[in-house]
Amino acid sequence: MGARGTGSTTAILGGGRTDALGSTFVKAADVAHIFRADRPEMEHGATWFAPVILRMKDFGDFEDAQLTRQKLASAFVGVVTGEDPDGVIPGIAQEEGGPDDREPLDYIEPGTFQYARRREELTFSSPPGVDGYADCTKVSLRAVSAGLGVPYEALTGDLSNVNFSSGRMGWLEYQRSLAAWQWTMFIPQFCGAVAVWLIDAFAMIGEDVEGVTVRWTPPGREMINPAEEVKATRNAIRSAQDTISAAARR
């Protein structure tokens, strides 16, 4: 079977270096296919960016347009006119002496000055301003973070409107999502396959693997308020709602 998939991660057990850059077929037993099963009997996972990919493209276009607008706003153009209709205009070719020999103004940059003869008029467009850049950015990034299941603050690093209560609520909800992804996706699909490969490797070198079992402990996450959380854990253990070993593993 080939190791292919969209929106998923494929881990292949193997040593040595690759000799070719082309695709290589591997056995299904040597592939750990990691994906989020959103419905029964799924064999391949959809990309997690599917709900927000169009919004991210629109947001990228919006930022490009905003940057272009700022560049145009800073490119102030001054027009210099003279009283002598036959005078030489600086910066304009005069070999033929005709008005068609002047250099066209096909682009502008900050500090541009365009010279013109009498009775000539240059008209520049005045594009309307685009207000609400910060508000539009926050709304777009909040929609992206919601589609990915990631807190806005973790996605952007913007903690300007966060207090302790709101930050704690968002972090606790995110911890639940992380725990679900760990125990229902990563541990059974990846860690389980790695455990089988590891036990088989020990058996191949002659180690006794009879009765060997594996227990998984995800990395502990830092407490938001250790003084209160440690006290709550201690009370849970004393009231038999938790165990010392389970709390220590967390």
Side-chain angles (χ1 to χ4, degrees):
M1 294 182 64
R4 297 189 178 94
T6 303
S8 57
T9 303
T10 301
I12 303 176
L13 178 67
R17 303 174 60 181
T18 57
D19 298 328
L21 299 179
S23 299
T24 302
F25 285 93
V26 296
K27 297 180 180 180
D30 296 333
V31 175
H33 190 194
I34 308 166
F35 66 98
R36 185 179 61 189
D38 297 323
R39 61 181 183 273
E41 299 182 0
M42 283 187 63
E43 296 182 359
H44 299 282
T47 172
W48 288 22
F49 289 91
V52 297
I53 192 68
L54 293 179
R55 181 177 288 273
M56 294 175 65
K57 175 63 169 58
D58 293 339
F59 179 66
D61 293 342
F62 167 76
E63 286 210 316
D64 290 341
Q66 183 72 13
L67 179 59
T68 302
R69 169 184 172 272
Q70 296 294 340
K71 289 183 177 179
L72 292 176
S74 64
F76 180 79
V77 178
V79 180
V80 180
T81 59
E83 294 295 332
D84 185 3
D86 298 325
V88 177
I89 302 175
I92 296 179
Q94 298 291 330
E95 288 80 2
E96 301 297 331
D100 296 333
D101 296 326
R102 68 187 61 218
E103 296 177 356
L105 181 64
D106 56 357
Y107 69 94
I108 58 176
E109 59 186 3
T112 298
F113 282 89
Q114 173 68 5
Y115 289 84
R117 292 188 175 92
R118 289 185 59 189
R119 295 182 297 275
E120 289 184 340
E121 181 179 357
L122 296 179
T123 303
F124 296 93
S125 62
S126 300
V130 181
D131 299 327
Y133 172 74
D135 295 335
C136 182
T137 299
K138 287 184 178 180
V139 170
S140 298
L141 291 178
R142 284 195 176 104
V144 171
S145 63
L148 294 176
V150 178
Y152 169 80
E153 294 76 20
L155 179 69
T156 63
D158 181 12
L159 303 175
S160 57
N161 296 322
V162 177
N163 55 36
F164 180 80
S165 298
S166 63
R168 180 180 173 83
M169 291 178 61
W171 181 243
L172 290 177
E173 185 65 28
Y174 187 44
Q175 284 186 342
R176 296 188 186 98
S177 298
L178 290 178
W181 298 336
Q182 288 173 337
W183 290 104
T184 64
M185 183 180 68
F186 192 80
I187 288 178
Q189 296 177 359
F190 177 77
C191 297
V194 171
V196 173
W197 293 335
L198 182 63
I199 294 174
D200 290 344
F202 280 132
M204 291 175 62
I205 62 176
E207 295 290 340
D208 184 12
V209 296
E210 184 178 357
V212 172
T213 60
V214 179
R215 295 182 64 188
W216 302 105
T217 302
R221 291 186 287 275
E222 187 175 355
M223 297 181 183
I224 299 176
N225 188 2
E228 296 296 330
E229 294 184 36
V230 170
K231 185 186 300 183
T233 301
R234 182 182 60 196
N235 293 336
I237 294 174
R238 288 180 174 177
S239 60
Q241 301 178 50
D242 202 352
T243 62
I244 297 178
S245 60
R249 289 181 63 196
R250 290 197 302 271

